[in-house]
Amino acid sequence: ISWTGDNLSNALSTQNLPPVQEPIRRNRFTKWSFYFNTCTASYSTVWWNWERWEHHIDWMAVRGINMPLMYVGQEYAWARTFLEYGITFEDLDNFFAGPGFLAWQRMGNFRGWAGPLTLNWMVDHYKLGKKIFDRMREFGMKPVLPAFAGHVPQKFEIMYPEVTQSDSPLTHYFDRKYCCVRFLEPINPLFREIGTKFVNTLIEMFGPNDHLYLGDLYNEIYPSRNDLGYLHDVTTSMIKSLTDADPDAVWVSQAWLFHHERDFWQPAQLQAYLNAADDDRMILLDMFNEVNNQWSRTESFYGKPYIWCELLNFGGAQMMYGGMKAVMYEPYEASKKSSMAGIGITPEGLLTNEIMFDMMLNQAWMEGPEPIELWVNNYIHSRYGRENENLQKAYKIFSKTVYGIHKKRMPKAKLTRRPNLAKWASNYDHCELIDAWELFLEPADEFKNIATYRFDLVDVTRQVLSDMFENWHGEMTDGYELTDRCKIEETRVKMLEMLRDLDDLLSTNEYFLFGRWIQDAEQWAHNDEELA
């Protein structure tokens, strides 16, 4: 079972299933396996229906995920909560973003963009969220629900002038109509009251839960003050907003703010913010461990349990990329000298580099690191249903090129950037990847009916062509610097032809089709107005 096609022909043929003589039991290396990023909804899952979610939850179950983020349907809970404070649906039209942009509206980065959000959408997705929530719990997972993080409709400024509130900073040049979301100071009693009411609404809507709530007060936003007493009180208020409704509540928080606003979060501020919560009331998600962890600079979050997460993907970027060495070895090293309570994956976008995320999730069940080549060969057998020498040779090259990149953030492919003349060195030899592609292509006749192979073949080819585009871009830049018109024209023709070739290539696999995204979106329309 995979993100991009299943390989179940052997498993579904009963004569091929080996007999199980006695129960097989494996103990987890660590308690939690966390999944999702607050951005994943908008980059990947926003238009999914129940059929898609049902398959995806199966994918989660077979990988041992037991702590998934469950954000679907929360807008209906927000609407119910805010209506009790005199907010109208017209006010909510200027607050909720459109479906494709809800991730950033939820984090207070902007408001109303690409809206309004219809009542039909809210109700439909509450129903969908309830099915997702129930299925997750049927599989023994403990879904993490949203918490109130202080963001409210603009009308609160008029209705509650005595309450300290502020505008979130201007985000990415949005004008006043869409930026500057109202933010209630967490130390205000109204913050705690709304947070408690929201959790009570969630409990009423979804039923019994597992007491885990994720709320990010300062996602790429600076706190209004840096004095230690204030930061201590912020955390205290946040915890109380949860426990007043659910006495067993645990605050789950992404530690991204400590990375992104590192200049603000100095040791004194970190300690004041984190130490205000008891250790059993807070879990941190250390989001970006494969490149830049936060636990090692914070004395393991001053004793708070945290999840060692692999982020890898920003913005759903389609590139073969990753650092196998960090993923295979560093979680075990961290577990021996920190308050690590689990592992997790937090990609912003899905359907890319599944091998890297499988390797990360597999850590929960391994007694210790394995040689990377051994693990990869077992992965090949699992993904394609059989062994193949050419695929093993190809993956050996992948492991030292695209998946051998250590402690570097994934760059954007040159062809997806705004046109520019900047050049940069590649992290691997593009010619080696061509060798791997030729090896990967060799068994095509044997593997052509296996969905996972077909996707991966397109993906590897896409990466090779993308690298060639980057090489030609460098040649064109050289021509520009040398005022060589012939060189510029020669490479221009090649690059445009390459873009057409890429379009033809990607149209051969359903997971790369833009039309699928549009079709999935249209299924949620109730009428012509919503369809438009």
Side-chain angles (χ1 to χ4, degrees):
I1 299 176
S2 88
W3 283 344
T4 51
D6 298 333
N7 178 28
L8 296 172
S9 55
N10 288 335
L12 296 177
S13 178
T14 55
Q15 64 266 29
N16 293 327
L17 292 175
V20 179
Q21 304 298 338
E22 57 185 46
I24 298 172
R25 182 180 179 85
R26 294 286 296 273
N27 293 322
R28 293 179 60 91
F29 154 67
T30 187
K31 179 178 180 179
W32 296 113
S33 290
F34 180 84
Y35 181 40
F36 283 125
N37 183 303
T38 52
C39 293
T40 316
S42 290
Y43 283 123
S44 295
T45 67
V46 57
W47 308 118
W48 287 8
N49 57 18
W50 169 241
E51 181 182 4
R52 191 83 180 271
W53 269 108
E54 186 175 32
H55 179 273
H56 202 71
I57 296 169
D58 289 345
W59 177 90
M60 294 159 56
V62 298
R63 283 158 176 79
I65 290 168
N66 59 7
M67 190 183 178
L69 186 61
M70 210 306 288
Y71 263 27
V72 180
Q74 64 172 288
E75 277 64 41
Y76 189 54
W78 286 120
R80 288 180 53 176
T81 300
F82 287 137
L83 288 173
E84 293 190 37
Y85 288 89
I87 296 299
T88 66
F89 277 103
E90 183 178 357
D91 299 325
L92 293 177
D93 286 346
N94 296 319
F95 179 65
F96 290 136
F101 299 90
L102 282 172
W104 301 280
Q105 183 263 310
R106 291 166 178 169
M107 293 183 285
N109 300 132
F110 54 63
R111 60 189 174 89
W113 179 257
L117 196 68
T118 67
L119 182 59
N120 284 332
W121 170 275
M122 295 183 216
V123 174
D124 287 347
H125 280 76
Y126 159 57
K127 294 176 181 177
L128 175 63
K130 184 67 168 68
K131 294 178 74 171
I132 294 168
F133 179 82
D134 289 345
R135 179 60 59 84
M136 287 176 171
R137 297 195 82 222
E138 287 172 9
F139 282 152
M141 302 175 193
K142 299 185 183 299
V144 182
L145 294 171
F148 179 56
H151 311 299
V152 295
Q154 300 301 100
K155 198 171 181 180
F156 267 71
E157 181 178 11
I158 300 171
M159 298 179 66
Y160 299 95
E162 75 284 0
V163 175
T164 306
Q165 45 188 300
S166 60
D167 286 341
S168 296
L170 182 65
T171 302
H172 299 303
Y173 308 104
F174 280 90
D175 64 32
R176 184 75 190 180
K177 181 179 179 181
Y178 302 110
C179 79
C180 314
V181 180
R182 296 304 292 172
F183 178 71
L184 291 186
E185 277 291 350
I187 58 175
N188 284 319
L190 185 59
F191 176 99
R192 179 172 164 181
E193 178 187 318
I194 294 174
T196 299
K197 191 177 293 292
F198 179 66
V199 172
N200 280 325
T201 302
L202 289 175
I203 294 171
E204 179 184 338
M205 288 171 53
F206 290 98
N209 64 55
D210 298 284
H211 318 296
L212 300 170
Y213 304 90
L214 188 144
D216 291 314
L217 298 170
Y218 305 113
N219 181 70
E220 302 188 4
I221 295 171
Y222 286 93
S224 60
R225 292 155 53 187
N226 69 354
D227 58 279
L228 308 187
Y230 166 77
L231 294 172
H232 177 280
D233 292 345
V234 164
T235 295
T236 300
S237 181
M238 183 68 188
I239 297 289
K240 282 292 187 181
S241 74
L242 302 174
T243 57
D244 285 353
D246 181 349
D248 297 317
V250 175
W251 179 22
V252 181
S253 178
Q254 297 183 139
W256 182 252
L257 71 166
F258 306 140
H259 167 81
H260 198 270
E261 279 72 48
R262 188 186 184 106
D263 58 330
F264 177 92
W265 293 104
Q266 298 301 307
Q269 283 71 31
L270 281 161
Q271 290 185 63
Y273 187 71
L274 295 175
N275 288 344
D278 293 337
D279 289 350
D280 62 352
R281 290 295 185 187
M282 191 175 192
I283 299 175
L284 280 300
L285 303 175
D286 203 353
M287 305 280 288
F288 198 25
N289 267 273
E290 77 276 16
V291 173
N292 187 349
N293 74 68
Q294 299 304 305
W295 68 263
S296 63
R297 81 173 186 94
T298 59
E299 299 180 26
S300 193
F301 297 104
Y302 305 103
K304 295 289 178 294
Y306 76 93
I307 311 294
W308 199 107
C309 297
E310 175 192 23
L311 198 160
L312 183 62
N313 181 275
F314 289 88
Q318 290 288 325
M319 286 191 69
M320 294 179 68
Y321 202 86
M324 287 185 166
K325 183 178 178 181
V327 170
M328 179 61 77
Y329 294 101
E330 291 186 9
Y332 293 96
E333 296 170 5
S335 70
K336 296 174 184 177
K337 54 188 177 183
S338 72
S339 55
M340 189 180 111
I343 56 92
I345 60 172
T346 52
E348 289 192 350
L350 309 180
L351 311 188
T352 179
N353 296 307
E354 190 168 358
I355 186 174
M356 292 302 309
F357 298 116
D358 274 342
M359 179 180 279
M360 184 71 250
L361 292 171
N362 199 214
Q363 305 304 307
W365 303 98
M366 295 167 59
E367 297 178 356
E370 291 182 359
I372 288 175
E373 186 173 354
L374 173 64
W375 187 92
V376 168
N377 286 341
N378 288 333
Y379 176 85
I380 294 169
H381 194 179
S382 172
R383 186 160 177 83
Y384 308 120
R386 68 196 76 159
E387 296 178 354
N388 180 275
E389 184 178 357
N390 283 311
L391 293 183
Q392 290 177 347
K393 290 178 180 178
Y395 269 92
K396 189 173 184 178
I397 298 174
F398 296 156
S399 298
K400 69 175 184 178
T401 54
V402 290
Y403 295 133
I405 300 164
H406 192 59
K407 296 298 181 185
K408 292 183 180 179
R409 175 172 172 164
M410 177 191 290
K412 292 181 180 178
K414 176 63 72 173
L415 58 84
T416 64
R417 288 178 172 268
R418 293 180 180 180
N420 62 75
L421 294 174
K423 292 192 293 184
W424 59 78
S426 175
N427 289 302
Y428 57 89
D429 186 339
H430 292 173
C431 292
E432 286 192 78
L433 193 64
I434 293 174
D435 294 338
W437 170 67
E438 291 174 344
L439 288 164
F440 200 90
L441 184 62
E442 191 67 29
D445 287 340
E446 180 185 354
F447 287 81
K448 64 184 178 182
N449 293 323
I450 298 173
T452 46
Y453 175 81
R454 292 198 303 271
F455 174 88
D456 291 345
L457 179 58
V458 172
D459 198 36
V460 175
T461 308
R462 176 206 53 74
Q463 188 62 50
V464 169
L465 295 181
S466 177
D467 290 345
M468 292 174 66
F469 184 94
E470 183 175 315
N471 295 340
W472 288 334
H473 177 274
E475 292 180 15
M476 186 179 72
T477 301
D478 291 340
Y480 174 81
E481 292 173 349
L482 296 171
T483 61
D484 186 339
R485 293 177 178 269
C486 292
K487 190 68 171 178
I488 294 172
E489 178 61 17
E490 177 186 346
T491 53
R492 181 190 72 84
V493 171
K494 289 180 180 179
M495 291 165 71
L496 291 175
E497 184 177 352
M498 178 63 71
L499 291 176
R500 287 188 285 269
D501 288 343
L502 270 168
D503 197 46
D504 290 341
L505 168 71
L506 298 180
S507 68
T508 66
N509 191 279
E510 61 178 308
Y511 293 100
F512 291 99
L513 295 179
F514 179 62
R516 188 186 192 195
W517 180 268
I518 298 299
Q519 186 178 46
D520 289 347
E522 290 177 343
Q523 70 181 318
W524 291 102
H526 282 247
N527 50 54
D528 291 341
E529 183 180 358
E530 291 182 3
L531 187 62

